[in-house]
């Protein structure tokens, strides 16, 4: 049987010729701290980028969203390519990083400004729609369930008192009220 080793075929050229890990390769606390700082900065930038980009997309501000996403990705991915220790970065790298940082902050300010403008333009109509789609159905459901409970309770007490026909009528009214109330609440959501 012929066996072919594929372990080195999938490795990048940067890691293929490196020896295995040894205990002396353990990073120092300073190196770990620098790495953690960069990871936190990268993650914060990525989180802000995705959050604001999604808000811009949801507000149908596609052009602003594309500009902001581009600035955020350039900044965060350039940062990930630099050495962890800022003292090891060249002056060109530091200058480029600051350019990307300024571009990101400018795009962030512009994106948030565009979102604020879009929100204020639709604020009055959105508030009315919010009341209609959230408060209206909730109130109708609460009233429906309260009325339904009242009618079911009366149906039970009427049957318990011996009047089966009146209990049936209360039960039918309870079912009708529940069906009608939940249908009206569903219509409010649409």
């Amino acid at each position: 049987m012929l066996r072919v080793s594929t372990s080195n075929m999938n490795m990048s050229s940067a890691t293929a010729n490196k020896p295995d890990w040894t205990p002396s390769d353990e990073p120092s606390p300073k190196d770990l701290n620098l790495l953690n700082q960069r990871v936190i900065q990268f993650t914060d930038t990525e989180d802000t980028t995705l959050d604001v980009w999604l808000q811009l997309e949801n507000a149908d501000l596609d052009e602003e969203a594309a500009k902001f996403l581009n600035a955020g990705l350039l900044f965060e991915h350039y940062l990930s390519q630099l050495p962890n220790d800022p003292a090891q970065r060249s002056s060109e790298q530091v200058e480029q990083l600051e350019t990307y940082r300024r571009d990101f902050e400018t795009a962030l300010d512009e994106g948030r400004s565009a979102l604020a403008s879009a929100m204020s333009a639709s604020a009055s109509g959105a508030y009315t729609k919010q009341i209609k789609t959230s408060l209206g159905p909730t109130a109708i459901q609460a009233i429906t369930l309260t009325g339904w409970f009242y009618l079911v309770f009366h149906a039970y007490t009427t049957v318990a008192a011996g009047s089966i026909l009146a209990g049936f009528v209360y039960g039918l009214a309870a079912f009708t009220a529940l069906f009608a109330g939940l249908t009206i609440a569903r219509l409010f959501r649409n």
Side-chain angles (χ1 to χ4, degrees):
M1 178 176 263
L2 180 63
R3 298 185 102 185
V4 177
S5 174
T6 60
S7 62
N8 284 338
M9 294 177 70
N10 294 328
M11 299 177 90
S12 74
S13 61
T15 59
N17 297 325
K18 290 195 176 186
D20 292 339
W21 177 85
T22 61
S24 64
D25 293 336
E26 194 68 31
S28 70
K30 178 186 175 193
D31 291 337
L32 286 175
N33 187 34
L34 290 170
L35 175 63
N36 286 337
Q37 288 175 6
R38 192 176 74 165
V39 166
I40 289 168
Q41 185 180 14
F42 179 90
T43 305
D44 289 346
T45 303
E46 184 178 45
D47 185 49
T48 300
T49 299
L50 295 176
D51 184 45
V52 173
W53 169 71
L54 186 59
Q55 290 176 26
L56 288 165
E57 282 290 326
N58 287 340
D60 291 327
L61 300 169
D62 296 336
E63 199 171 303
E64 291 86 352
K67 180 181 176 186
F68 179 74
L69 182 63
N70 186 46
L73 291 175
L74 279 173
F75 175 57
E76 74 181 41
H77 288 282
Y78 187 75
L79 175 66
S80 74
Q81 300 301 312
L82 298 177
N84 293 339
D85 189 354
Q88 294 177 355
R89 298 174 187 167
S90 70
S91 60
E92 293 84 16
Q93 289 174 326
V94 171
E95 186 178 316
Q96 186 63 53
L97 181 64
E98 286 307 311
T99 299
Y100 286 146
R101 182 189 323 272
R102 279 192 307 274
D103 291 348
F104 172 71
E105 289 171 354
T106 300
L108 178 61
D109 291 341
E110 290 173 358
R112 287 184 172 159
S113 176
L115 282 170
S117 295
M119 295 294 184
S120 66
S122 64
S124 63
Y127 181 73
T128 304
K129 184 176 181 183
Q130 180 186 5
I131 293 296
K132 182 183 176 216
T133 59
S134 66
L135 184 60
T138 303
I140 291 171
Q141 286 175 345
I143 291 168
T144 298
L145 293 175
T146 302
W148 175 81
F149 178 77
Y150 174 78
L151 291 171
V152 167
F153 178 74
H154 276 294
Y156 171 76
T157 56
T158 306
V159 169
S163 179
I164 294 178
L165 183 58
F168 176 76
V169 170
Y170 275 121
L172 187 59
F175 175 75
T176 305
L178 182 64
F179 178 76
L182 295 179
T183 301
I184 292 169
R186 190 170 0 126
L187 292 174
F188 257 88
R189 285 196 183 118
N190 298 332

